[in-house]
Amino acid sequence: MVAELIRLKAALLVNGFRRSPWQLVGVVLGALYGLFITAMLIVGLFGLGGNDDRLLIGTVLILAGGLTTLLWAVIPVLAAGVDATLDPQRFASLPIPRRDLAAGLLLTGFVGVPGAVTVILFLAQTLAWRQWTTAAVVALPAGALGALYCLALARMTTTAAHALTASRRFREVGTILLFVPLVLLGPIIGGIESWISSEGSELMGWLPQVADIVAWTPLGAFAALPADAAAGAWAVLGIRLAVALAYLAATVGLWAVLLQRSLEQPASSGGGGRSHAGLGTLRWFPAAPWGAVAGRALTYWFKDPRYAASIVVVPLIPIAFWYASSQAGSPFMLYAAAPLVAVMLGFSISADVSYDSTAFALHVTTGLRGVHDRLGRVVACAAISVPLVVLLSFIPLAAGGDPVDALAILGVSLGGLLSGLGVSSVVSARWTYSVPLPGENPFKTPPGAGARVAIVQLGTFAVATLALLPELGLLIAYFVTGHPVYAWLTLLVGLVLGGVLLALGVRVGGRWFDARLPELMQAVTLNK
Amino acid sequence: MVDEGTDTGHPHAAIAVRGLGKRFGEKVAVNAIDLDVPAGSFYGLVGPNGAGKTTSLSMATGLLRPDAGRVWIHGIDVWERPLEAKRILGVLADGVRLFDRLTGRQLVTYAGRLRGMDPTTVAERTEDLLRVLDLEDAASKLVVDYSAGMTKKIALATSLIHSPRVLVLDEPFEAVDPVSATNIRSILAGYVERGGTVVVSSHVMDLVQRMCSHVAVIAAGNVLAAGTVDEVRDGATLEDRFVDLVGGRAQGGGLQWLQS
């Protein structure tokens, strides 16, 4: 049965290539990349082995092994939904003994680039220990078990996450929150860097202590076994082996229990769900058709993770820019945050009809006028983005900026937002593209979307930027001359020109919408 | 065949279809069909999978632009005066999503307001629809958490809110439990009695035979038979007649080994 499952995984991989040569290209590139990384790391391990400080080798290997194991625990959860081949649910109706299923699913993890690379690298630890024969020998089984532990941990965390996230809301919030560290990656890495460089001399002093602790945790136990052998600490090795095996058994056992439970009670989105009495955001707007669209769209901004993701990301941008500007020692990066967020938010409704997916049919069958559809979506987006953009424009003030600067920034930002909304209103009435479907992971890129998405988005950005040139010109004039008149002019032109472009966009978009309603419907139908 | 240029559809037809055709690439999905749905009829549209039912209904309701042909709803050309036609038309499309991040109550209200209806009327009718369709308890839950049958019912409610003269329902009974199906049938029967026209597509012959006054059999993009149910079934059951018309019953053989 176990061999059968591994063969199935391999067959699925191969069939994937047949369906799309691009997938083959992807896997080949992934494999080459993996091979490259593997080769480099093996060279690194070999080089490490040339060192005769066994404490140093042990510390490096335990920490690196621990980090790898941690990544295995976290990344598959983050990327949930990306690779659902061999989803345990699919075996629920087959009479396979649970033990075989668990073992099979566990081992199939080695079929594929990440699993293969991990097992090779863990085995290659032996190279680093080549000056201590016993340690080199111990490193082989320890490496194999360590790699197995990575896979078991990955299975356990994903299954646990799956069980925990039976609630739709939890799953959605989780996905978005996990994205936060990615946006802040720059500042985080920079912070660690500067911290290391300031504490560098002492680092080597306490890293071995960290390694000592990690060596007793599930993350580092297997990697620490060769170090014990090299030290000749056989009693410690025996105890640590027992502990490590206990960790492995516990992880596999826990996974098996979770798997069993998920097979018996498939996670369903039904049943639960909080109640929302009344009409919610629909009540905030006039009962006209455009008000209805605005109310509905606003609800989606908060409840649909594909929209909510952009709201969560927005406050992070000034943080990233603040960091960048503190590094550069000039406030200009901080000034850039508000216009950038403004253009992004204006751009955000350019895929609105694509996001509706086939639910758009309701707009078609109710005979909604294009102008109402466009206007409603703009109003909803503006209700969120105008306060945000105004707030961001004044943030430099808190950092000791000039109030007149803030005025000019506000002008460019509002101009960018308004004209961006106008351009988006036209674009989304004409060009749709594949987006993650309702309920899918908001950060997933749908297959086969590539070129079209890129062209539409680039074109939209280009036009939106073009429309912003007058404000940008005035802004530059202000910063060059320092004359406040230019700041006021920027604000005035931003509001007037932006407003005119927005009105124009809504009208033109509305007309195109009316003319191409069935084609739009057809496009969202095909995008599914 | 009626001349396309001068015809304005049958004067008493709730839906008149002339020469309606659609092709997807090489495949002719709907082959220039003609159809008259008399006002006040309960019209069943039956056909095997992929016969062109959904394509035909989509073209008749303004969701899909036809390659050829015309459609009138009570004399209003759907493709020349779409907004007027849609005002008197209620549509339950099959296989489309709903704005499922809204609650049931919000969704029905939304449909009413999109049509520019007076908010008080929308509020009253929404509560009536929720009550009659037995969705009162679920009205404050998000539609995404609904079961398949409840989803179908809330979609039906969105197509009824403006009290249309013609109701086009694509597979309205799919995944609906028997009690709800009976409820929906009696709502539709009452609506027809008060002068409304209903078109339903379905796979269930038995249901169509019991429920509908008229029926059309569609296969491979063509109308094979159309008329009152009694005319079409011609003494046999509708199911037998359907299989006769459509053909494709597997001959001989069978699964001899399928036994306990």
Side-chain angles (χ1 to χ4, degrees), chain A residues 168 172 269 272-273 275-277 279-280 282 287 289 292-293 296 299-300 303 305 356-359 363-367 369 437-439 515 517-519 521-522 528, chain B residues 24 61-65 79 83 86 89 91 93 95-103 105-107 109-111 113-117 119 139-142 144-145 158:
Chain A
R168 181 179 43 73
E172 289 168 359
S269 56
S275 287
H276 308 267
L279 295 176
L282 285 180
V293 175
R296 196 274 303 167
T299 294
Y300 267 61
K303 287 215 184 106
D356 286 353
S357 186
T358 50
H363 287 202
V364 182
T365 54
T366 49
R369 299 285 302 272
L437 293 176
L517 201 49
E519 281 72 25
M521 183 61 215
Q522 190 64 9
K528 85 182 170 186
Chain B
F24 295 112
T61 52
L63 280 164
L64 178 68
R65 197 186 296 280
W79 290 99
L83 295 186
K86 284 169 184 173
L89 193 59
V91 181
V96 303
R97 294 167 185 272
L98 298 173
F99 286 107
D100 56 15
R101 303 287 156 149
L102 300 180
T103 66
R105 179 177 284 114
Q106 285 172 339
L107 184 64
T109 307
Y110 184 52
R113 292 196 179 177
L114 281 184
R115 290 181 175 277
M117 294 168 62
S140 302
K141 292 237 163 66
L142 298 192
V144 70
D145 293 327
T158 62

Side-chain angles (χ1 to χ4, degrees), chain B residues 37-187:
Chain B
V37 175
S41 64
F42 202 137
Y43 209 102
L45 204 58
V46 297
N49 296 324
K53 300 189 296 284
T54 296
T55 309
S56 305
L57 292 181
S58 298
M59 290 192 291
T61 52
L63 280 164
L64 178 68
R65 197 186 296 280
D67 292 340
R70 303 175 72 179
V71 181
W72 292 266
I73 309 287
H74 283 290
I76 303 169
D77 190 310
V78 172
W79 290 99
E80 273 169 17
R81 294 189 288 163
L83 295 186
E84 285 169 66
K86 284 169 184 173
R87 216 164 285 147
I88 57 169
L89 193 59
V91 181
L92 173 70
D94 185 39
V96 303
R97 294 167 185 272
L98 298 173
F99 286 107
D100 56 15
R101 303 287 156 149
L102 300 180
T103 66
R105 179 177 284 114
Q106 285 172 339
L107 184 64
V108 180
T109 307
Y110 184 52
R113 292 196 179 177
L114 281 184
R115 290 181 175 277
M117 294 168 62
D118 154 63
T120 330
T121 316
V122 172
E124 284 169 14
R125 289 186 182 174
T126 300
E127 295 312 315
D128 282 347
L129 284 165
L130 291 171
R131 183 171 42 76
V132 170
L133 290 168
D134 199 22
L135 288 169
E136 268 175 321
D137 294 338
S140 302
K141 292 237 163 66
L142 298 192
V143 173
V144 70
D145 293 327
Y146 278 19
S147 69
M150 289 157 79
T151 309
K152 208 66 158 178
K153 288 197 285 182
I154 204 75
L156 181 66
T158 62
S159 67
L160 290 170
I161 184 88
H162 59 300
S163 178
R165 289 178 71 189
V166 180
L167 202 50
V168 176
L169 312 173
D170 198 356
E171 298 285 357
F173 298 106
E174 217 174 35
V176 175
D177 67 86
V179 176
S180 300
T182 310
N183 273 344
I184 294 176
R185 259 186 9 234
S186 75
I187 294 170

Side-chain angles (χ1 to χ4, degrees), chain A residues 59-132:
Chain A
T59 303
V60 169
L61 287 182
I62 290 168
L63 290 179
L67 187 66
T68 312
T69 314
L70 188 66
L71 289 179
W72 270 99
V74 176
I75 288 185
V77 178
L78 250 169
V82 173
D83 178 26
T85 49
L86 298 201
D87 180 353
Q89 298 297 338
R90 302 191 185 177
F91 298 98
S93 63
L94 297 176
I96 303 173
R98 295 299 182 229
R99 187 185 298 267
D100 288 359
L101 183 62
L105 288 177
L106 192 55
L107 292 178
T108 53
F110 288 116
V111 183
V113 175
V117 167
T118 304
V119 75
I120 290 171
L121 283 177
F122 271 54
L123 287 175
Q125 283 182 75
T126 188
L127 291 175
W129 291 110
R130 66 182 182 280
Q131 296 190 35
W132 295 268

Side-chain angles (χ1 to χ4, degrees), chain B residues 65 171 194 232 239:
Chain B
R65 197 186 296 280
E171 298 285 357
R194 290 189 295 275
V232 170
E239 186 154 349

